């Protein structure tokens, strides 16, 4: 829509209509845009996205108001602020590439703006000036200068990026987004059944995951390996509202500083270690997803409030928003099973579900009565219920609402016989509880989309999932997923084909972009230059150490290049100042009026002499300016005299007026001297270089 409006505005102002609205009309539209933005901020709260939308509207309005160079400058400034907004609200690789291109265009636009504004000023004063880009050589010089400026800018930016200390950029300027909820697939910290409707899937990435063997440190991710990342454990069921929710846990907040490891459970973790990066955490309380059973956590940045639920070991922290890295060690294998304590008493308010669960256990030769069933058989009973649901019910993301006064779990079993993962998990937990097996619903993400190129999992909003944890022994909870495996693989697995492979290549590039650029903070600087150890990253093995050394060498080279460029720039400024002082002393007397203005105008003569030197027509120090023009006449043909000596003579005459006349050039004389210098350079460029013989 913005591009359409942009093209229409360009047609209105530069096309056959030549629309030129009055300034008060433009200002009225700008004020209206401000009022609309204010109303949105008051209703939704201030954010970078809302401010960016306001800038877009103002920019489109200002496209109709380009009477003076100042208006073009305002458009350039709006474009710059929009670039900053894009960097704050989106971390995708495509946006980064577009920003690089836009910054390059902004540099070119700024140069063209300087040329056009100077021309506008001269014409406004009644003067005339030749088109500065009317020749191919002029365009070539502008391109060469632009390329030099762009390269220098990016080298210097890389130097600053690698060396300047900074903190990770969080969500300090507004709401930058959070995982989706509602009728779009995404993580929920509760389960509300019975609403019905179509649940659409969102491919937006939520987090990146790398897993490693806890004892060897070798990468453990693979295509086909699924990792369940817990976010919420729902143990309380509200029969009146058909809602599963978390138990309230308070009083266990604590502070963790960057790199600090914190033991979560009295158990040695030797199975998997997870390196997790939240791409766009909300500003405030956030979930830290992890595989069961988390026993140790290390945060990548200091958090003022770190939380864990005492029994369920659900992790959370108070974040500043944006990117956040952390590492979790988890025991995923079967724990040592003990049955010394009595089974906790659990129940569920549905006789229909209880009857169905009893039938399923009897069919699997498991005693349904918890008073008669050994605790060792609870795992077999839960597995029988899981398999029965997987075989007899269908998966779907579209359901009608549950009829009034009907429990959704009962409606699923008797009537619908199909549903999404929340129905499968809720019904299994309910069936287990009716036969005395402690069970709870868990929500989080399924990491199944493995990218072999970057050795990491991409977890998207569409990977949000619900499953069940069952107590199979004393304080031993095991994961059960009643969702049909074929549907689980279809929705969350790694797709095959050329398109998906190309998408995974792009995901790998984007992951490297986010990991190496977006999340490059002070800790990353320490790790890069080898001044410390990586407290969050894993041991990657010999191959990855070699890669790190190569990256470190490249980064050091960038830093060295940045330092060299900085030194070259400083020395260039110093040389220019010294040259200007010598030029002023050599070309002008130490007395007289308008000394600074005359020195500036005399540079035209100095630049003409430099052009002659490069062409092999240097002026001896003892020869006066006009005498050198006569010497050029004697050496050259008639055509060359008209094109070289005549133009130098005009420049030399102007210089004599400045040097010996005691005054400065008027506007017409100055413009004539500048045109002569431009024509002289152009002519000398087309001529072969003259011999070094005395002129």
């Amino acid at each position: 829509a913005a591009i359409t409006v942009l093209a229409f505005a360009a047609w209105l102002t530069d096309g056959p209509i030549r629309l030129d609205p009055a300034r008060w009309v433009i200002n009225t539209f700008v004020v209206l845009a401000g009022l609309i933005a204010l109303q949105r901020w008051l209703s939704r709260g201030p954010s970078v996205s809302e401010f960016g939308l306001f800038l877009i509207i103002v920019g489109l309005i200002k496209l109709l108001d380009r009477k003076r160079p100042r208006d073009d400058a305002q458009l350039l400034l709006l474009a710059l602020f929009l670039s900053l907004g894009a960097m704050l609200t989106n971390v995708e690789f495509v946006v980064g590439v577009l920003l690089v291109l836009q910054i390059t265009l902004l540099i070119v636009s700024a140069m063209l703006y300087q040329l056009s504004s100077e021309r506008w000023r001269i014409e406004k004063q009644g003067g005339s000036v030749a088109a500065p880009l009317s020749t191919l050589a002029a365009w070539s010089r502008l391109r060469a200068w632009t390329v030099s400026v762009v390269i220098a800018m990016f080298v210097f930016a890389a130097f600053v990026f690698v060396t300047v200390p900074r903190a990770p950029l969080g969500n300090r300027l507004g709401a930058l987004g959070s995982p989706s909820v509602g009728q779009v697939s995404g993580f929920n910290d509760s389960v509300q059944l019975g609403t019905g409707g179509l649940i659409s899937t969102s491919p937006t990435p939520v987090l990146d995951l790398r897993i490693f063997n806890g004892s060897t440190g070798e990468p453990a991710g693979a295509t086909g390996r699924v990792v369940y990342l817990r976010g919420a454990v729902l143990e309380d069921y509200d029969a009146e509202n058909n809602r599963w929710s978390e138990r309230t846990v308070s009083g266990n907040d604590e502070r963790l500083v960057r790199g600090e490891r914190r033991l979560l459970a009295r158990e040695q973790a030797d199975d998997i270690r997870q390196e997790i990066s939240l791409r766009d955490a909300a500003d405030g309380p956030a979930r830290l997803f992890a595989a069961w059973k988390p026993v140790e956590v290390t945060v990548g940045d200091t958090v003022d409030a770190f939380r864990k639920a005492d029994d369920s070991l659900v992790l959370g922290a108070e974040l500043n928003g944006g990117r956040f890295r952390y590492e979790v060690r988890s025991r995923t294998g079967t724990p040592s099973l003990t049955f010394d304590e009595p089974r906790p008493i659990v129940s569920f308010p549905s006789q229909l579900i209880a009857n169905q669960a009893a039938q399923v256990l009897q069919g699997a030769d498991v005693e349904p009565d918890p008073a008669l069933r050994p605790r060792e058989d609870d795992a077999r009973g839960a597995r029988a219920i899981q398999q029965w649901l997987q075989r007899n019910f269908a998966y779907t993301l579209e359901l009608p609402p549950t009829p009034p006064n009907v429990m959704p779990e009962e409606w699923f079993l008797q009537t619908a016989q199909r549903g999404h993962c929340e129905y499968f998990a809720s019904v299994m937990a309910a069936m287990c509880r009716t036969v005395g097996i402690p069970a709870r619903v868990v929500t989080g993400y399924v990491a199944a989309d493995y990218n072999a190129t970057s050795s990491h999992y991409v977890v998207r909003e569409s990977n949000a999932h619900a499953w069940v944890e069952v107590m199979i022994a004393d304080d031993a909870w095991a994961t059960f997923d009643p969702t049909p495996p074929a549907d689980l693989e279809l929705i969350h697995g790694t797709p095959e084909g050329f398109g998906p492979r190309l998408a995974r290549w792009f995901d790998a590039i984007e992951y490297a972009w986010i990991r190496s650029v977006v999340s490059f903070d002070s800790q990353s600087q320490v790790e890069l230059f080898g001044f410390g150890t990586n407290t969050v990253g894993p041991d990657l093995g010999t191959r990855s150490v070699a890669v790190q050394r190569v990256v470190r060498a490249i980064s050091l080279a960038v830093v060295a290049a940045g330092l060299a460029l900085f030194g070259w720039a400083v020395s260039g400024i110093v040389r220019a100042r010294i040259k200007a002082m010598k030029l002023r002393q050599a070309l002008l007397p130490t007395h007289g009026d308008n000394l600074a203005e005359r020195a500036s105008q005399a540079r035209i003569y100095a630049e003409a002499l430099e052009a002659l030197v490069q062409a092999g027509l240097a002026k001896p120090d003892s020869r006066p300016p006009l005498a050198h023009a006569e010497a050029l006449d004697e050496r050259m043909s008639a055509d060359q005299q008209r094109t070289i000596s005549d133009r130098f003579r005009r420049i030399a005459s102007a210089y004599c007026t400045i040097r010996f006349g005691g005054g400065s050039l008027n506007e017409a004389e100055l413009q004539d001297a500048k045109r002569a210098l431009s024509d002289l350079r152009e002519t000398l460029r087309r001529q072969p270089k003259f011999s070094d013989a005395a002129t």
Side-chain angles (χ1 to χ4, degrees):
I3 295 176
T4 303
V5 175
L6 178 64
F8 183 66
W11 180 78
L12 286 177
T13 54
D14 299 329
I17 298 180
R18 295 284 179 179
L19 181 65
D20 188 15
R23 185 57 60 96
W24 69 267
V25 176
I26 298 298
N27 292 337
T28 300
F29 280 110
V30 172
V31 171
L32 289 176
L35 293 176
I36 294 173
L38 180 61
Q39 187 273 331
R40 292 173 64 93
W41 294 346
L42 293 176
S43 60
R44 303 185 182 184
S47 70
V48 177
S49 299
E50 295 292 340
F51 184 66
L53 179 60
F54 168 72
L55 293 180
I56 291 175
I57 296 175
V58 173
L60 294 175
I61 296 172
K62 292 295 294 182
L63 284 173
L64 302 174
D65 182 33
R66 296 174 57 196
K67 300 180 179 66
R68 292 177 293 179
R70 185 182 67 179
D71 301 319
D72 294 328
Q74 292 173 353
L75 285 173
L76 288 176
L77 189 62
L78 289 172
L80 177 61
F81 277 110
L82 282 174
S83 300
L84 295 175
M87 286 186 287
L88 290 173
T89 55
N90 200 310
V91 298
E92 294 181 1
F93 175 71
V94 172
V95 175
V97 173
L98 292 177
L99 284 173
V100 171
L101 296 177
Q102 184 180 11
I103 291 172
T104 304
L105 291 176
L106 284 175
I107 294 174
V108 177
S109 300
M111 292 181 174
L112 293 174
Y113 162 74
Q114 293 294 332
L115 294 174
S116 64
S117 62
E118 182 65 19
R119 181 172 182 173
W120 181 87
R121 185 186 65 81
I122 293 173
E123 292 176 348
K124 200 72 173 176
Q125 295 174 354
S128 61
V129 60
L133 299 178
S134 59
T135 64
L136 183 63
W139 272 109
S140 177
R141 289 195 298 273
L142 178 64
R143 286 196 300 267
W145 177 245
T146 301
V147 170
S148 302
V149 170
V150 170
I151 292 176
M153 182 198 70
F154 280 110
V155 171
F156 185 73
F159 163 70
V160 173
F161 175 81
V162 172
T163 58
V164 174
R166 59 193 175 277
L169 178 62
N171 187 8
R172 298 178 177 89
L173 298 179
L176 304 186
S178 58
S180 299
V181 296
Q183 291 305 104
V184 178
S185 58
F187 168 73
N188 284 308
D189 58 5
S190 64
V191 168
Q192 178 76 55
L193 301 181
T195 56
L198 173 65
I199 299 178
S200 59
T201 58
S202 169
T204 303
V206 174
L207 60 87
D208 299 291
L209 167 69
R210 302 179 72 189
I211 62 173
F212 304 87
N213 186 286
S215 57
T216 65
E218 294 296 322
T223 301
R225 178 169 185 176
V226 177
V227 181
Y228 288 84
L229 299 176
R230 309 159 77 248
V233 173
L234 316 179
E235 298 185 88
D236 292 341
Y237 181 75
D238 181 358
E240 182 177 352
N241 296 309
N242 304 315
R243 181 184 181 89
W244 292 84
S245 59
E246 294 180 290
R247 291 179 180 171
T248 303
V249 178
S250 60
N252 61 344
D253 290 4
E254 52 187 315
R255 175 183 171 86
L256 290 185
V257 299
R258 179 198 300 270
E260 181 179 357
R261 299 186 184 274
R262 184 56 50 92
L263 188 66
L264 303 175
R266 296 182 177 275
E267 199 167 343
Q268 183 65 32
D270 58 359
D271 282 344
I272 67 168
R273 182 172 55 189
Q274 307 132 73
E275 180 187 310
I276 302 172
S277 298
L278 300 177
R279 289 203 180 190
D280 193 10
D283 188 5
R287 304 287 174 147
L288 302 184
F289 300 91
W292 180 258
K293 177 182 182 179
V295 296
E296 189 178 66
V297 64
T298 306
V299 294
D301 191 20
T302 301
V303 292
D304 292 329
F306 174 79
R307 297 181 300 278
K308 62 181 177 65
D310 294 333
D311 297 328
S312 61
L313 294 180
V314 175
L315 309 180
E318 192 79 21
L319 304 183
N320 289 324
R323 293 281 298 175
F324 185 76
R325 293 187 301 165
Y326 60 99
E327 178 186 299
V328 179
R329 294 170 63 94
S330 298
R331 174 179 288 279
T332 58
T334 303
S336 301
L337 303 181
T338 58
F339 305 93
D340 298 332
E341 300 177 3
R343 180 191 293 114
I345 299 175
V346 292
S347 62
F348 191 84
S350 173
Q351 188 59 44
L352 185 149
I353 294 178
N355 294 338
Q356 186 63 69
Q359 292 180 17
V360 172
L361 265 60
Q362 288 173 352
D365 197 22
V366 177
E367 172 59 49
D369 188 349
L372 303 176
R373 183 180 65 248
R375 290 197 64 191
E376 292 84 345
D377 287 347
D378 284 359
R380 285 205 306 128
R383 191 170 298 108
I385 294 174
Q386 170 189 264
Q387 294 172 353
W388 181 77
L389 289 171
Q390 290 174 343
R391 290 193 303 264
N392 295 284
F393 295 84
Y395 186 91
T396 181
L397 290 175
E398 184 176 7
L399 278 175
T402 303
N405 303 320
V406 176
M407 180 178 288
E409 290 86 351
E410 295 180 346
W411 177 74
F412 172 84
L413 287 175
Q414 279 195 316
T415 306
Q417 297 186 346
R418 60 193 180 97
H420 48 74
C421 60
E422 291 182 348
Y423 276 93
F424 280 91
S426 300
V427 171
M428 178 176 175
M431 293 178 68
C432 287
R433 288 188 174 191
T434 59
V435 291
I437 301 175
R440 57 196 186 188
V441 177
V442 181
T443 59
Y445 291 100
V446 171
D449 187 0
Y450 181 73
N451 191 323
T453 304
S454 55
S455 301
H456 88 291
Y457 292 88
V458 180
V459 180
R460 310 177 190 277
E461 288 183 345
S462 57
N463 296 129
H465 192 52
W467 60 94
V468 177
E469 286 180 352
V470 175
M471 180 183 286
I472 59 176
D474 295 344
D475 195 28
W477 294 84
T479 298
F480 290 83
D481 192 348
T483 300
D487 295 308
L488 187 70
E489 172 65 23
L490 180 65
I491 297 172
H492 301 289
T494 304
E496 298 298 333
F498 175 76
R501 284 199 300 271
L502 186 64
R504 284 195 290 275
W505 271 98
F506 181 80
D507 285 337
I509 295 173
E510 187 168 73
Y511 177 68
W513 161 261
I514 294 175
R515 180 180 174 84
S516 303
V517 178
V518 177
S519 297
F520 193 89
D521 54 12
S522 301
Q523 181 67 21
S524 302
Q525 292 171 338
V526 172
E527 297 165 6
L528 178 63
F529 293 106
F531 300 136
T533 58
N534 186 356
T535 59
V536 176
D539 300 328
L540 302 181
T542 305
R543 179 180 177 184
S544 294
V545 168
V547 172
Q548 288 182 349
R549 289 175 179 173
V550 172
V551 173
R552 184 174 299 165
I554 294 174
S555 301
L556 291 174
V558 169
V559 173
L563 290 173
L565 179 65
F566 181 75
W568 173 80
V570 172
S571 63
I573 294 174
V574 173
R575 289 197 307 269
R577 297 287 294 181
I578 294 175
K579 183 177 180 181
M581 292 174 59
K582 290 182 177 180
L583 178 66
R584 182 170 174 172
Q585 294 174 358
L587 299 182
L588 293 175
T590 58
H591 60 276
D593 298 330
N594 302 325
L595 200 59
E597 181 181 6
R598 291 164 60 200
S600 175
Q601 294 178 351
R603 289 186 61 85
I604 298 175
Y605 174 68
E607 293 176 5
L609 292 179
E610 185 177 351
L612 291 177
V613 170
Q614 294 176 355
L617 300 173
K619 181 185 82 66
D621 293 339
S622 59
R623 182 179 295 166
L626 292 175
H628 189 60
E630 299 297 331
L632 292 176
D633 280 339
E634 297 174 0
R635 180 171 179 179
M636 299 180 182
S637 64
D639 290 339
Q640 290 174 330
Q641 290 175 16
R642 284 194 297 270
T643 57
I644 297 178
S645 59
D646 288 353
R647 288 162 185 170
F648 180 73
R649 184 177 290 106
R650 287 158 57 190
I651 298 172
S653 299
Y655 169 66
C656 289
T657 300
I658 300 170
R659 176 68 174 81
F660 304 108
S664 57
L665 303 176
N666 59 37
E667 186 64 27
E669 293 171 336
L670 179 63
Q671 294 303 320
D672 181 72
K674 287 183 177 180
R675 281 195 296 270
L677 175 61
S678 177
D679 294 341
L680 177 65
R681 285 173 169 170
E682 187 67 25
T683 303
L684 292 175
R685 187 175 290 105
R686 292 197 301 265
Q687 294 282 349
K689 185 175 181 180
F690 293 87
S691 64
D692 293 332
T695 302

